[in-house]
Amino acid sequence: MASRVITIIIGNDVTKISDVAYSAQKSINVYAAATVPTPASAVEDGMITDIPLMAKTIKEAMDANGISGKNVVFSIQSSKVASKEVITPELKDNKLRDFINTNATEYFPVNIEDYVIAFSSLETILEAEVRKLRVMVAVAPVAMVEAYYSLAEMLDMHIDAIDYVGNSTLQFIRYQVSEVPSIVIQMTEENTFVTILNRNVLQLMRTVPYGKSTIANALVDKRDITYEEAIAAMADTHNALKGSFDEGDYVTDSLKYLVNNISRVMDYYTQKNAEYPIEKAYILVEGSPVYGIEKLFSFELNITVEKLETVQMAPANNKENVDMSTYIPNIGAVIAPVNFLPQSVLDKAKKSNSNKYFRVALLASVLIALLLVSFPLMQYWSKTSSKADLQQRIKNIEYVQEIVDQYYIAKDRYSDASAFNVKAFSFNDYLGEFVEYLEENMPSDISITSMTVVNGGVTMSMTARSKETIAAFIVALNESMNKEGVNIGSIYVPAISESVDSEGVITASCTMSCVFVPTAEEILSTPGLMEDMLNSLLGIEETPASEETEAN
């Protein structure tokens, strides 16, 4: 990548352009920056739909702001760009790329042929004493990435890399914070991004749907002012937030949900990484500042929160005071972009090189034919070298077959285990627990004369000395449904009858039916159980199971 490049982020509403220099010594200089409205018909969620119009807009903006350069880095801002952290074997970059391409369909539930894959290694870890890699894998639609190459061609610029806003922002944050475990709270107008790093390596990243607009809207409601006036009021040193929620301020309390969400992210990280507690906390507010927010967050999160400083523009070219907090992705895009590189660009470069090599080879062949026509041994050596190269290339990718074989073996084992688990399940398994419940809780003057259990459905006949006894037991049983050890439901008693024998003894009797019902945890943990329950309700049985118990 060139040391000085133009970085461009094309959003739905605005396009941000900056002239940035980055050196190997991690020195960043911003020479110019400009924001212009994005034409409404030119872009849709990161996809450039009108390339000529977008090229004209960027060219005019660069000319108007004295920005020039031939090398460009684009950072895509789109919900269609997805990223996921994965664990891979420890491989070199070329083999790691093959591994990720082979397993891409496992990471993203899309037609992977329609996407460009890029990745960046985060760190080496140990799992069961085996060295592995934490890798961030990202995908972007092929058509979207190719549109950026067409745009660069129309601008007569060379693309050094194509990044995405999430990675660009992360690279800037890594550049600014300490190496100790740190949390960075980046507040934009609509959202707040929470990032946790350790040794400048990403550990956790979450998005919380509360931003500066939360405070602004609270000010609008409380003080009956416009939204623009509320934004200005947030930066007023005497007109902003209180130091804690205990003071009962309406505007300050609007941030409770945001602070609670940040606190939960911190707790989740601490539970997973107790040996590396968070030591530093930073906050970065995009655009106009929010006075008092560092003090409030420090008190409520119980950690000192510092303001994260942004890169300043080079003084000699700073024509006006530009808020660089809005250009963070532009700055971060030059540090370590993932670089989405579509196959069409690779093929084009390969074809160009092939044509060049073809012309050189043709000239060389003529000379060789003239000079070495009597030496066929040269051709033999050439063929031998090509054969050795092909054999080496085949050997380099033989490891892929072993990985594929291991995958299918593991997949077959999982399928067999899941099928066995479903076949082994029976609703009649709950009979033992039900009988134990009856023995412990059924009144002594109730007798069960018969009990039939068919595929989880229970029918039993009972007698007692009075209707009241049976009724009280049914009420108690109904109240115990869904409690631990009583997995029954749908208790039904059509009627309770009474009879008097020749000695005047009254006997009450009834028939009760119910069904065994598994708990929610059992349904979720047993694959196929939900389907089995539906089949049972519809009367579809694969292997009917029944048990009948006669009780005296």
Side-chain angles (χ1 to χ4, degrees):
M1 182 186 294
S3 60
R4 183 169 173 177
V5 297
I6 308 301
T7 61
I8 301 176
I9 297 176
I10 302 174
N12 291 334
D13 300 319
V14 296
T15 297
K16 299 177 181 180
I17 308 169
S18 60
D19 182 0
V20 184
Y22 176 67
S23 70
Q25 291 74 33
K26 294 187 177 181
S27 172
I28 295 179
N29 288 313
V30 181
Y31 295 94
T35 299
V36 295
T38 301
S41 60
V43 177
E44 183 179 342
D45 192 16
M47 180 67 194
I48 305 173
T49 54
D50 192 334
I51 296 174
L53 177 57
M54 200 65 241
K56 179 175 180 291
T57 301
I58 293 173
K59 181 63 176 173
E60 291 176 350
M62 292 176 64
D63 291 342
N65 291 274
I67 302 175
S68 62
K70 288 295 184 181
N71 297 295
V72 63
V73 174
F74 290 106
S75 187
I76 302 176
Q77 180 175 310
S78 172
S79 62
K80 296 179 182 178
V81 177
S83 62
K84 183 176 182 179
E85 180 186 313
V86 300
I87 305 298
T88 72
E90 187 179 31
L91 302 170
K92 294 183 178 179
D93 280 352
N94 59 334
K95 292 186 178 181
L96 180 60
R97 183 177 299 279
D98 293 337
F99 180 86
I100 290 173
N101 289 338
T102 301
N103 293 276
T105 53
E106 300 293 326
Y107 308 148
F108 303 100
V110 296
N111 183 4
I112 208 65
E113 293 182 358
D114 296 333
Y115 286 79
V116 182
I117 304 173
F119 67 91
S120 60
S121 297
L122 298 177
E123 63 177 339
T124 302
I125 61 174
L126 286 176
E127 277 194 0
E129 298 184 355
V130 177
R131 290 171 64 86
K132 295 187 178 182
L133 291 177
R134 284 181 64 230
V135 181
M136 185 63 71
V137 183
V139 293
V142 172
M144 180 181 292
V145 177
E146 289 179 339
Y148 278 88
Y149 274 89
S150 299
L151 174 62
E153 186 175 356
M154 193 164 289
L155 289 168
D156 192 24
M157 301 178 78
H158 172 265
I159 291 182
D160 278 4
I162 295 183
D163 200 12
Y164 67 101
V165 168
N167 183 67
S168 300
T169 303
L170 172 63
Q171 297 307 321
F172 174 84
I173 291 173
R174 290 177 57 197
Y175 176 85
Q176 294 291 92
V177 303
S178 169
E179 290 192 358
V180 301
S182 305
I183 181 171
V184 179
I185 304 165
Q186 181 189 356
M187 180 178 284
T188 66
E189 184 162 355
E190 297 298 333
N191 299 296
T192 297
F193 303 96
V194 182
T195 306
I196 298 179
L197 305 102
N198 185 16
R199 306 180 307 280
N200 293 132
V201 176
L202 176 66
Q203 303 297 315
L204 188 66
M205 180 180 285
R206 294 290 185 270
T207 301
V208 182
Y210 301 98
K212 290 170 59 178
S213 62
T214 303
I215 312 172
N217 290 328
L219 285 167
V220 169
D221 294 341
K222 184 68 174 178
R223 303 182 185 180
D224 193 22
I225 57 178
T226 65
Y227 189 89
E228 290 72 20
E229 290 173 336
I231 293 293
M234 287 191 292
D236 187 341
T237 58
H238 300 290
N239 200 18
L241 302 171
K242 303 295 183 181
S244 72
F245 295 139
D246 294 336
E247 299 185 41
D249 177 68
Y250 177 86
V251 177
T252 305
D253 287 348
S254 68
L255 290 175
K256 277 187 176 180
Y257 289 105
L258 173 58
V259 172
N260 288 339
N261 276 277
I262 295 172
S263 180
R264 281 196 290 269
V265 173
M266 295 174 66
D267 291 342
Y268 175 80
Y269 166 80
T270 302
Q271 290 173 3
K272 299 290 184 180
N273 305 272
E275 68 276 23
Y276 301 113
I278 296 173
E279 298 181 28
K280 289 274 189 177
Y282 304 88
I283 187 167
L284 178 61
V285 180
E286 183 177 303
S288 59
V290 179
Y291 183 79
I293 197 163
E294 295 94 344
K295 181 179 179 182
L296 173 65
F297 279 20
S298 296
F299 182 85
E300 295 297 338
L301 297 175
N302 196 27
I303 186 172
T304 300
V305 179
E306 305 173 13
K307 182 179 180 181
L308 187 66
E309 298 297 334
T310 57
V311 174
Q312 301 300 315
M313 288 183 64
N317 297 283
N318 191 1
K319 299 178 182 179
E320 59 179 330
N321 185 21
V322 177
D323 180 11
M324 294 309 297
S325 67
T326 63
Y327 292 91
I328 287 172
N330 291 72
I331 300 168
V334 304
I335 300 175
V338 295
N339 195 16
F340 291 107
L341 196 60
Q343 189 62 42
S344 59
V345 174
L346 293 173
D347 293 341
K348 185 177 180 180
K350 184 177 179 181
K351 183 178 180 181
S352 176
N353 289 334
S354 297
N355 291 336
K356 176 182 177 181
Y357 294 143
F358 175 76
R359 291 192 294 269
V360 173
L362 180 61
L363 178 60
S365 298
V366 173
L367 293 174
I368 292 171
L370 292 173
L371 298 174
L372 303 175
V373 66
S374 60
F375 299 95
L377 185 59
M378 296 294 294
Q379 186 178 17
Y380 170 78
W381 287 345
S382 176
K383 295 295 183 182
T384 302
S385 177
S386 298
K387 179 182 178 181
D389 180 62
L390 289 173
Q391 288 175 336
Q392 183 62 40
R393 290 167 62 185
I394 292 172
K395 185 177 180 181
N396 288 341
I397 62 174
E398 285 179 348
Y399 73 93
V400 174
Q401 185 61 48
E402 181 181 353
I403 295 173
V404 172
D405 293 340
Q406 291 175 355
Y407 165 77
Y408 283 112
I409 290 172
K411 185 177 181 181
D412 290 341
R413 289 176 177 174
Y414 174 80
S415 299
D416 292 341
S418 298
F420 179 83
N421 193 27
V422 173
K423 293 297 183 181
F425 178 83
S426 171
F427 286 97
N428 291 346
D429 293 344
Y430 298 102
L431 177 60
E433 295 177 357
F434 183 56
V435 170
E436 290 179 1
Y437 173 83
L438 294 177
E439 290 176 347
E440 294 176 2
N441 297 277
M442 188 175 68
S444 58
D445 62 340
I446 293 180
S447 296
I448 297 177
T449 58
S450 68
M451 177 186 292
T452 303
V453 181
V454 180
N455 199 24
V458 181
T459 303
M460 62 183 187
S461 298
M462 300 181 293
T463 62
R465 296 178 180 177
S466 66
K467 288 184 177 181
E468 289 76 13
T469 300
I470 294 178
F473 172 64
I474 293 171
V475 170
L477 185 62
N478 190 67
E479 291 176 349
S480 300
M481 284 196 304
N482 299 323
K483 293 184 178 179
E484 185 175 355
V486 190
N487 296 326
I488 62 170
S490 302
I491 298 174
Y492 176 65
V493 179
I496 302 175
S497 59
E498 284 186 349
S499 61
V500 182
D501 60 12
S502 59
E503 298 178 2
V505 177
I506 299 175
T507 301
S509 62
C510 72
T511 300
M512 185 190 78
S513 62
C514 61
V515 296
F516 294 135
V517 181
T519 64
E521 290 78 6
E522 290 173 322
I523 295 174
L524 294 175
S525 63
T526 307
L529 181 54
M530 180 63 74
E531 180 182 357
D532 197 36
M533 291 177 62
L534 291 174
N535 289 341
S536 177
L537 292 173
L538 295 173
I540 302 173
E541 301 180 12
E542 294 182 3
T543 307
S546 64
E547 300 179 18
E548 183 168 331
T549 303
E550 294 293 338
N552 295 321

